[in-house]
Amino acid sequence: MNAQMKTTIRPVINLKNTAVIIRNLRREKGLTQNELAKKIGVSRTCVSNWESGARIPDCVAVIKIAAIFQVPVDYVYGMTDHRYNINIPEYFEIDFSKLNPEGMNMLYEYYKYLINNEKYRAN
């Protein structure tokens, strides 16, 4: 990688933003660190480390966090300020952790297609 490329590539994920976002989402939902940890399948210490900025959650944990709080993965990583209001009926059992990154990308692209098509957009 040449010097010019190194100066133009910026980190995509902001660790401090991610920590604050996870903490705020958890508090908005009224969950303790322990309750969130159980929902994700990690220890309370993991959640504490994420919220303090000591560690960043792996992609599977971020997908679960996004599903729990109904926000996009990009929002959890602090890559966007836009929070979607996704209302997934409870009778739909959607386990995003079963999708690999390519599947998640396809799902996101299909979602963008639907919301940009007047035929499928909510009034």
Side-chain angles (χ1 to χ4, degrees):
M1 185 179 302
N2 65 36
Q4 184 180 7
M5 286 178 69
K6 286 182 183 177
T7 59
T8 59
I9 297 175
R10 297 181 316 175
V12 176
I13 299 169
N14 184 322
L15 188 58
K16 278 205 181 294
N17 283 354
T18 301
V20 170
I21 289 165
I22 293 171
R23 182 175 54 246
N24 289 344
L25 287 170
R26 177 182 60 77
R27 287 178 177 171
E28 285 173 17
K29 194 102 171 182
L31 297 174
T32 65
Q33 287 182 343
N34 196 48
E35 290 168 333
L36 178 58
K38 285 180 182 178
K39 287 180 178 283
I40 298 170
V42 297
S43 70
R44 188 210 53 83
T45 305
C46 278
V47 174
S48 177
N49 285 335
W50 299 337
E51 291 185 4
S52 70
R55 300 234 183 255
I56 194 159
D58 64 28
C59 62
V60 172
V62 170
I63 290 167
K64 289 179 181 180
I65 291 167
I68 290 165
F69 298 112
Q70 298 183 336
V71 297
V73 169
D74 290 356
Y75 180 79
V76 177
Y77 277 133
M79 298 167 58
T80 181
D81 292 334
H82 187 68
R83 288 174 67 164
Y84 303 111
N85 293 322
I86 302 169
N87 295 319
I88 300 173
E90 289 195 18
Y91 53 84
F92 286 146
E93 292 185 27
I94 299 175
D95 183 358
F96 293 106
S97 67
K98 292 183 180 180
L99 294 175
N100 64 21
E102 183 181 355
M104 287 300 294
N105 190 43
M106 288 179 66
L107 181 62
Y108 176 69
E109 291 300 321
Y110 186 62
Y111 169 76
K112 285 192 317 188
Y113 163 77
L114 291 173
I115 63 170
N116 288 318
N117 188 321
E118 273 189 51
K119 180 178 177 182
Y120 304 110
R121 202 172 330 139
N123 295 344

